[in-house]
Amino acid sequence: MDKFLIKGGKRLKGEVVVASAKNAVLPLMAASILADSEVRLKNVPDLMDVRTMSTLLSSFGCLVKREGKDLIIDPKGINNLIADYEIVRKMRASFFVLGPLLVKYKRAKVSLPGGCTIGPRPVDLHLKGLSALGANLKVEEGYVVGETKGLKGEEIFLMGNRGPSVGATANVLMAAVLAEGKTVIEGAACEPEIVDLSNFLSKMGAKIKGAGTPRIEIEGVKGLSGVEYQPIPDRIEAGTLACACAITGGEVRIKNCLPEHLTAVLEKLRECGVEVEEGKGEIRIKREKDLLGVNITTAPYPGFPTDMQAQFMALLTIANGKSVITETIFEDRLTHAVELQRFGAKITVNDNIAIVEGIKELSGAPVMASDLRASASLVLAGLVAKGETIVSRIYHLDRGYERLEEKLNSLGAEIRRVSD
């Protein structure tokens, strides 16, 4: 297993380019099942999650190959409709294949998903939406087994107890594009990744209105064609790099990002005393003054993203004053607080609320990542901590960031990847 050795205290400076969004690419890969010919996704990062989805699609009989930075998926050879537990357990996004398989092949057997340990993430809304379209679904021995005589459009309310579900919205959207008649999704997720999926499906020939709003209307079509498509930039990687710059008191231009997808994050950085300059397809981050404490409450898009909560907690450990972080999306997504305490951070956690009292300086320490975004928060703390930090279990990090250490090193960080 690899780990990072980080020598802290280096001020980040320079330019860095953001990769395409992991959370956009994975549903696009699943949606490729719907095509009647080859799909080419441009500039796809080489991530563990992308490799896992590639393995899953290959297990169905898809031809999946890389040509440079592009990923080519040809679904014409699909001859297996079982998504095996040994693959699906590694990544929750594997469950995206259920909707496409059901609508195109009228049956599917998909293992219940795994992924990061950040609290319960039930698939009940996925099943509710697909059942409303006419799928007969049951859970047997850890698998969702589904069949249908043909999905038909319906009006579906998908809002859950904690707000809209991005995954359920994506799964129902993919199923609805080939369903007979009109489907209306009320309470749909509004994330940019849903808009990107809609744009991809529309380019393939789907008829979709309202993506990016709580109401999406889909008129089913007979078939979808293969296309070439460029996924959106990764807003979470861009936000992570912005926090890395801010925590080190650096000055960095972050290219290939869409500032409009980061409004809540950039506003909180400004509240912290960080200079933020938005440009066309880029942002410039600069910090010269001390950081200021802020209060953060995670919320569905366009609110503050839960996927940036851990990185901001690291940032706030050295901010002046007290900060309060409230996590409303996942029940168990503050586990990184314990590891940040190993740097000397003063953090008190009570249920879904973390109170952070900023200190002058963190001290390097051996720490262990518990999930993808927690990994990033520990790397950020290591960048500013005095002395050496060892971050173990960085396979979590590799699931969602392509060679993050190389990007940070190009800005002046000192990170070495070593094997145990």
Side-chain angles (χ1 to χ4, degrees):
M1 244 185 291
D2 288 357
K3 57 187 176 183
F4 281 167
L5 302 183
I6 307 173
K7 288 190 177 178
K10 309 292 184 179
R11 181 174 178 265
L12 301 189
K13 192 170 184 179
E15 291 186 354
V16 65
V17 179
V18 172
S20 296
K22 172 186 88 86
N23 290 339
V25 167
L26 297 177
L28 299 186
M29 292 177 69
S32 299
I33 291 170
L34 300 168
D36 59 14
S37 55
E38 184 179 281
V39 168
R40 179 184 287 263
L41 300 177
K42 305 286 288 180
N43 194 29
V44 174
D46 185 16
L47 304 170
M48 283 306 301
D49 277 8
V50 171
R51 293 183 185 184
T52 299
M53 184 64 86
S54 297
T55 300
L56 181 59
L57 294 179
S58 296
S59 76
F60 297 149
C62 293
L63 173 65
V64 184
K65 63 179 180 179
R66 274 197 174 268
E67 285 188 1
K69 293 290 289 182
D70 295 354
L71 193 67
I72 297 169
I73 303 169
D74 189 339
K76 291 197 297 292
I78 289 179
N79 56 16
N80 168 51
L81 304 177
I82 300 173
D84 190 75
Y85 166 75
E86 287 302 322
I87 303 173
V88 178
R89 70 180 178 84
K90 299 177 183 177
M91 182 185 69
R92 182 173 177 80
S94 303
F95 205 66
F96 284 138
V97 302
L98 181 60
L101 289 177
L102 277 172
V103 73
K104 190 171 182 182
Y105 297 98
K106 296 185 170 53
R107 59 190 176 87
K109 183 178 179 181
V110 179
S111 172
L112 291 167
C116 287
T117 54
I118 55 178
R121 293 189 285 173
V123 295
D124 55 322
L125 290 176
H126 296 247
L127 304 186
K128 173 187 174 182
L130 294 172
S131 296
L133 293 176
N136 179 19
L137 302 170
K138 54 187 176 182
V139 177
E140 293 181 347
E141 299 177 335
Y143 283 78
V144 175
V145 181
E147 59 180 21
T148 177
K149 293 180 179 179
L151 299 185
K152 294 186 178 181
E154 187 58 80
E155 187 155 332
I156 305 165
F157 182 70
L158 272 188
M159 184 76 74
N161 293 334
R162 292 176 177 265
S165 166
V166 176
T169 300
N171 230 332
V172 174
L173 176 60
M174 288 186 282
V177 293
L178 290 182
E180 180 185 335
K182 183 177 180 178
T183 298
V184 177
I185 303 174
E186 293 280 8
C190 301
E191 272 73 1
E193 293 78 14
I194 292 295
V195 177
D196 203 44
L197 175 60
S198 173
N199 291 340
F200 175 65
L201 292 168
S202 296
K203 190 172 183 181
M204 293 167 74
K207 296 180 179 179
I208 304 168
K209 295 180 182 177
T213 76
R215 179 185 172 92
I216 303 177
E217 298 180 8
I218 307 106
E219 196 70 49
V221 297
K222 294 295 184 182
L224 298 176
S225 59
V227 294
E228 184 175 293
Y229 191 78
Q230 170 66 62
I232 56 173
D234 196 321
R235 60 193 172 104
I236 304 303
E237 181 182 326
T240 301
L241 292 167
C243 285
C245 174
I247 202 170
T248 64
E251 182 175 0
V252 173
R253 188 175 298 276
I254 301 170
K255 307 184 81 171
N256 188 41
C257 69
L258 297 172
E260 60 268 30
H261 291 172
L262 285 161
T263 301
V265 172
L266 299 182
E267 284 306 307
K268 285 300 175 183
L269 283 171
R270 290 185 176 102
E271 283 185 41
C272 286
V274 178
E275 293 181 34
V276 179
E277 181 183 308
E278 300 179 32
K280 187 176 181 180
E282 64 178 36
I283 52 177
R284 186 181 68 87
I285 305 294
K286 182 179 181 181
R287 179 173 75 84
E288 294 179 328
K289 303 174 183 177
D290 287 348
L291 288 165
L292 305 174
V294 298
N295 294 336
I296 290 169
T297 300
T298 62
Y301 188 86
F304 190 91
T306 181
D307 278 357
M308 282 300 304
Q309 175 258 109
Q311 298 90 310
F312 251 80
M313 186 182 290
L315 183 68
L316 295 172
T317 60
I318 60 165
N320 290 337
K322 183 183 293 186
S323 302
V324 179
I325 299 173
T326 305
E327 173 57 59
T328 70
I329 307 299
F330 297 118
E331 291 181 13
D332 194 21
R333 206 172 196 179
L334 297 172
T335 54
H336 43 275
V338 175
E339 294 301 298
L340 288 172
Q341 289 169 355
R342 294 177 59 79
F343 291 95
K346 292 185 177 180
I347 306 170
T348 304
V349 175
N350 185 8
D351 292 331
N352 66 323
I353 297 173
I355 299 172
V356 185
E357 294 187 38
I359 59 176
K360 289 292 184 185
E361 186 177 76
L362 300 180
S363 299
V367 291
M368 185 175 295
S370 58
D371 64 68
L372 169 54
R373 307 306 173 184
S375 306
S377 76
L378 302 181
V379 172
L380 298 191
L383 291 177
V384 74
K386 184 178 180 181
E388 184 175 83
T389 293
I390 302 171
V391 183
S392 299
R393 293 172 65 178
I394 59 168
Y395 61 85
H396 287 294
L397 194 81
D398 292 335
R399 286 187 47 223
Y401 296 94
E402 185 180 35
R403 296 187 293 275
L404 181 62
E405 76 278 18
E406 293 180 18
K407 291 187 178 183
L408 293 172
N409 285 344
S410 74
L411 299 172
E414 192 171 337
I415 306 174
R416 274 198 308 129
R417 179 187 288 258
V418 298
S419 296
D420 285 339

